[in-house]
C-alpha cells in the first residue's frame, strides 16, 4: 500500500490564482481530512469527509472547497488564493475511530 | 468541545536524559488520545495511542505515555533521549465516536550532545 499520497509537494501561487491539492488513499478508509499547519499553531482542520458524497466543514474552511466523489480521492480546492493561505497542507485518512494516517504534505506559498 | 494543551512549545534535553512532554486534554466523554511525531519536512507519524484499554501505553522508539483521568493528562516520556528523537511532537484527542482529531500546538524537542 502507498498509504496517503499528496500532490504536488511544493507550489507557489500568485494572489488570486486557483489550484487543487490532490489527495489519494489506497487503504479503503471511509474518513478523510484536510489540515493546514502553520508554525507554532499545530494542525487546524479545514474540511473532512465521512464517505463518498459527504463532506463537512472543520475549524478553518473559509477560502477552500472540497469534494468526495470516490472513497479514494479527496481534493482540496483553493479559489482566489491569498497570502493567508501560505501554509503546509496535510491530508489524512482513517477507518472509523482508529489511527489517522497522514500524507507527506504540500507546501504552498502565495505571493 | 474537545481541546488539547501542550505545555512548552520547545523542550531541550541532553542526550541520555529523560524526555517528558506534557499534554492535558479536555473532553466531555471518555477520550481517545494520540501522540504523533513529525520529523523535518515530513508528515505526521503515530507514536502511540490510548483507546480505553491499559492506561500505560507503549509506543515506537521507546516512548510511552500514561493516561491519568483524574489529571486529564497524557504525558509522553522516554527514559533516555537519543539524537534521533529531535522532532516536533503533537498530542491529539478524539471523543468516542467519529469526530476528527483535535491537535495541540506541538512541542519541539531538541536533543543536545
Amino acid at each position: 500500500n502507498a498509504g496517503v499520497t499528496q500532490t504536488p509537494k511544493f507550489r507557489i501561487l500568485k494572489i488570486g490564482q486557483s489550484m487543487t491539492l490532490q489527495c489519494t488513499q489506497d487503504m479503503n478508509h471511509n474518513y478523510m481530512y484536510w489540515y493546514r499547519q502553520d508554525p507554532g499553531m499545530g494542525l487546524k482542520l479545514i474540511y473532512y469527509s465521512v464517505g463518498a458524497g459527504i463532506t463537512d466543514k472543520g475549524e478553518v474552511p473559509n477560502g477552500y472547497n472540497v469534494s468526495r466523489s470516490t472513497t479514494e480521492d479527496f481534493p482540496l480546492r483553493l479559489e482566489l488564493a491569498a497570502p493567508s493561505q501560505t501554509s503546509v497542507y496535510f491530508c489524512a485518512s482513517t477507518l472509523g475511530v482508529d489511527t489517522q494516517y497522514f500524507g507527506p504534505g504540500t507546501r504552498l506559498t502565495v505571493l | 468541545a474537545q481541546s488539547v494543551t501542550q505545555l512548552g512549545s520547545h523542550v531541550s534535553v541532553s542526550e541520555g536524559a529523560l524526555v517528558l512532554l506534557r499534554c492535558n486534554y479536555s473532553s466531555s466523554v471518555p477520550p481517545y488520545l494520540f501522540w504523533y511525531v513529525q520529523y523535518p519536512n515530513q508528515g505526521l507519524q503515530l507514536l502511540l495511542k490510548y483507546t480505553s484499554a491499559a492506561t500505560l501505553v507503549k509506543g515506537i522508539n521507546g516512548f510511552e505515555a500514561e493516561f491519568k483521568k483524574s489529571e486529564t493528562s497524557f504525558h509522553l516520556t522516554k527514559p533516555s533521549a537519543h539524537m534521533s528523537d529531535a522532532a516536533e511532537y503533537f498530542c491529539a484527542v478524539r471523543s468516542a465516536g467519529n469526530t476528527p482529531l483535535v491537535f495541540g500546538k506541538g512541542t519541539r524537542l531538541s536533543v543536545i550532545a
Side-chain angles (χ1 to χ4, degrees):
Chain A
N1 286 351
V4 180
T5 57
Q6 293 182 237
T7 57
K9 290 191 183 336
F10 304 94
R11 184 71 185 269
I12 298 175
L13 282 181
K14 294 183 179 179
I15 294 172
Q17 287 186 319
S18 301
M19 77 164 293
T20 299
L21 282 65
Q22 301 292 345
C23 174
T24 300
Q25 54 90 10
D26 63 358
M27 297 173 283
N28 202 32
H29 286 172
N30 49 346
Y31 292 81
M32 295 187 75
Y33 311 87
W34 275 106
Y35 292 90
R36 60 176 288 172
Q37 183 182 26
D38 301 298
M41 298 303 293
L43 279 78
K44 302 281 189 185
L45 182 67
I46 304 171
Y47 271 96
Y48 67 102
S49 169
V50 302
I54 306 169
T55 62
D56 209 345
K57 295 178 180 179
E59 185 180 356
V60 290
N62 291 345
Y64 307 95
N65 276 302
V66 293
S67 59
R68 183 98 181 269
S69 56
T70 66
T71 299
E72 296 79 20
D73 300 305
F74 191 41
L76 177 71
R77 177 87 178 156
L78 278 71
E79 305 283 0
L80 298 174
S84 61
Q85 293 178 305
T86 293
S87 188
V88 181
Y89 292 85
F90 288 101
C91 180
S93 72
T94 187
L95 190 64
V97 298
D98 207 339
T99 305
Q100 273 186 217
Y101 294 88
F102 284 81
T106 294
R107 188 174 296 272
L108 175 67
T109 302
V110 182
L111 300 174
Chain B
Q2 308 157 89
S3 66
V4 174
T5 302
Q6 291 185 240
L7 293 174
S9 58
H10 183 207
V11 170
S12 185
V13 301
S14 298
E15 192 173 20
L18 171 73
V19 175
L20 171 61
L21 305 182
R22 299 178 187 275
C23 172
N24 288 89
Y25 70 90
S26 168
S27 176
S28 57
V29 297
Y32 294 86
L33 293 158
F34 302 78
W35 275 100
Y36 282 84
V37 61
Q38 183 181 34
Y39 299 102
N41 299 315
Q42 293 188 26
L44 278 72
Q45 177 184 356
L46 180 70
L47 268 182
L48 50 80
K49 62 182 178 182
Y50 167 76
T51 57
S52 75
T55 56
L56 182 63
V57 181
K58 295 189 184 296
I60 61 172
N61 302 338
F63 283 93
E64 63 181 36
E66 186 172 8
F67 171 66
K68 291 187 176 181
K69 183 178 178 181
S70 61
E71 299 176 9
T72 60
S73 69
F74 190 55
H75 302 330
L76 182 70
T77 60
K78 181 174 180 177
S80 176
H82 192 272
M83 297 296 289
S84 60
D85 295 327
E88 187 136 24
Y89 292 80
F90 292 94
C91 183
V93 64
R94 169 190 284 137
S95 297
N98 297 324
T99 54
L101 283 180
V102 173
F103 285 85
K105 293 185 177 182
T107 298
R108 183 161 59 92
L109 175 67
S110 298
V111 182
I112 304 167

